[in-house]
Amino acid sequence: MRPADRRLALGLYRAGPRRHLLAAALDLGVTALDTATNYQHHQAHRVLADQAGQLLHRFDLTTKIGYFPDGHDLDPDRLRAAADQANRDLGRPPDTLLLHNPEHDPAGLARASEELVRLRERGRIRRWGVATWNPAPLLAHLDGVPRPDVLMTRAGLAVPAHILDAGDRLAEHLRPENRWGMAPFGGNPADPLWKQLDTRPFLAGRRTAPALQAALAIAYGTPAVARIAAGTSDPAHLAELATATTDIETDPDTLSRYRTLLREAATVREHREAGGDNARAAEPG
């Protein structure tokens, strides 16, 4: 994917929003925010509105609903109430509203999706969609699910083959208008792996680039997504990530081969594990 096709969203999962960080994001051209009702101990929207003030109206704002203080729930009435509460707490409607990890209740996906469609039709939101950490449980429950504006899945080199493949199958069925990514560093950008990883084979012309920046650029093609939510509390780190979206081009052929190799390796591992289970089952008791 070419840099011109990419957009970065500042993810607010691990680091709570701070005004200086939000102002720095705007200065860097990072005008998308990603949050959820349950972040910051279910205070994410109020904290964001308090810290951002009038800056909040300059962002394309995505939030997610589905988690409540008493647990996960896709009941349409509760989702509608959560959407209304988000609007009040933020002081503005979110641009995009996503169902948060519906794999915890895959049978409820269709009814929950229909509720978000109604919210969009009433002008309460611009876009609706699905954000899933593990798409596999959803694949058997897609009858009656309307076409979403957004599908958000994990992206990057840390995502297992079966998760990537399940996300692709989900996208093929739902045909979302936009496909976005999250957690490009597997949830831990401080992992030593990202400093040791040789990313040159993935980059156009086998050029060199700082490993963390290269890993983010690669995530836009693993799978192909137009936007990625990445979190940081450091404006300097955010500037590095923003550079990756504009300056680093990846090699699509290498990314395709990587997906094939990852899938083959997973298949071999599954066969070995199955063989081990069979061997243990054959041992005399």
Side-chain angles (χ1 to χ4, degrees):
M1 179 175 290
R2 294 183 179 276
D5 301 329
R6 306 173 189 153
R7 190 174 183 190
L8 179 66
L10 175 58
L12 301 177
Y13 171 53
R14 291 187 179 278
R18 295 293 179 266
R19 188 174 178 86
H20 75 281
L21 178 64
L22 299 172
L26 291 171
D27 290 342
L28 292 166
V30 179
T31 58
L33 294 179
D34 179 89
T35 188
T37 56
N38 58 307
Y39 294 174
Q40 284 84 58
H41 306 288
H42 294 273
Q43 297 297 313
H45 294 157
R46 294 176 184 174
V47 173
L48 176 58
D50 179 67
Q51 289 290 320
Q54 290 302 309
L55 293 182
L56 192 56
H57 293 273
R58 298 173 59 185
F59 285 97
D60 185 294
L61 176 60
T62 294
T63 193
K64 301 180 277 295
I65 57 175
Y67 285 101
F68 299 87
D70 60 349
H72 188 271
D73 195 346
L74 294 185
D75 175 76
D77 291 337
R78 295 196 76 181
L79 293 177
R80 187 184 318 113
D84 290 341
Q85 187 65 51
N87 195 329
R88 289 192 293 269
D89 290 344
L90 291 165
R92 53 156 288 190
D95 296 287
T96 305
L97 190 62
L98 304 178
L99 294 173
H100 202 175
N101 294 348
E103 60 267 28
H104 293 311
D105 180 16
L109 175 61
R111 289 183 65 223
S113 297
E114 290 167 358
E115 182 59 41
L116 266 61
V117 169
R118 284 190 284 270
L119 290 173
R120 184 189 61 186
E121 291 174 344
R122 294 169 186 163
R124 308 292 293 278
I125 52 176
R126 289 172 50 203
R127 297 178 294 256
W128 79 276
V130 173
T132 170
W133 190 258
N134 178 11
L138 300 175
L139 297 177
H141 298 272
L142 299 179
D143 289 345
V145 178
R147 182 184 187 185
D149 300 303
V150 175
L151 173 62
M152 175 181 269
T153 58
R154 293 154 67 185
L157 295 173
V159 187
H162 72 282
I163 297 293
L164 289 169
D165 289 343
D168 286 345
R169 291 197 295 274
L170 185 61
E172 289 169 3
H173 185 97
L174 294 180
R175 299 179 297 108
E177 291 285 345
N178 304 277
R179 190 163 180 194
W180 297 348
M182 59 182 166
F185 310 114
N188 184 14
D191 191 314
L193 165 69
W194 303 117
K195 294 182 180 180
Q196 301 166 3
L197 185 67
D198 182 6
T199 58
R200 287 173 297 176
F202 295 94
L203 306 184
R206 297 182 65 86
R207 61 168 288 187
T208 59
L212 209 61
Q213 291 174 301
L216 177 60
I218 292 164
Y220 283 95
T222 319
V225 296
R227 179 191 293 192
I228 288 181
T232 182
S233 59
D234 183 355
H237 182 215
L238 182 62
E240 293 175 358
L241 298 181
T243 297
T245 68
T246 58
D247 294 354
I248 302 175
E249 186 173 346
T250 54
D251 184 335
D253 292 335
T254 300
L255 292 177
S256 178
R257 289 196 298 271
Y258 167 75
R259 289 287 304 273
T260 299
L261 292 172
L262 193 66
R263 192 176 298 114
E264 291 174 351
T267 300
V268 170
R269 184 167 57 253
E270 289 170 2
H271 286 168
R272 287 176 177 170
E273 292 173 353
D277 290 342
N278 291 337
R280 284 190 292 272
E283 291 177 357

